[in-house]
Amino acid sequence: ACASQGGWTPTVDSYNDPNAYRINQDMTECKQLASQASGGTAKGTVIGAGAAAGGFGGAAKQGFSAEDKFKGAYSNCMSGRGHNVLRS
């Protein structure tokens, strides 16, 4: 499934984070922004399901691209709000 539907969130290190009290609120807001930046969640869910069923054609590639956009936008948003986001 798509990252925006699968519950993926960036890992945030709250140690020495002066904005740690805002992590939950920022995660909620950044998730919404990332969903918009990646083209929404409905398209990603359909494409992600097709990819899981073995349809690794152009539509699946677009789905993975939307997932990457979602993750990148989410992480960038959290970083931009002053949080230390760990890269995997």
Side-chain angles (χ1 to χ4, degrees):
C2 182
S4 55
Q5 292 292 316
W8 182 90
T9 58
T11 302
V12 177
D13 181 4
S14 61
Y15 184 77
N16 284 336
D17 183 346
N19 302 312
Y21 68 96
R22 287 190 48 92
I23 288 176
N24 289 335
Q25 180 179 349
D26 288 344
M27 288 189 109
T28 299
E29 292 172 4
C30 286
K31 182 177 183 177
Q32 290 175 330
L33 291 169
S35 178
Q36 292 172 0
S38 65
T41 57
K43 183 174 83 172
T45 302
V46 171
I47 293 171
F56 288 103
K61 185 176 180 181
Q62 288 176 350
F64 293 128
S65 177
E67 181 176 346
D68 291 340
K69 286 180 185 177
F70 175 82
K71 289 180 177 181
Y74 202 154
S75 295
N76 289 339
C77 180
M78 290 298 290
S79 293
R81 292 179 182 217
H83 303 292
N84 183 22
V85 177
L86 304 178
R87 306 289 179 191
S88 55

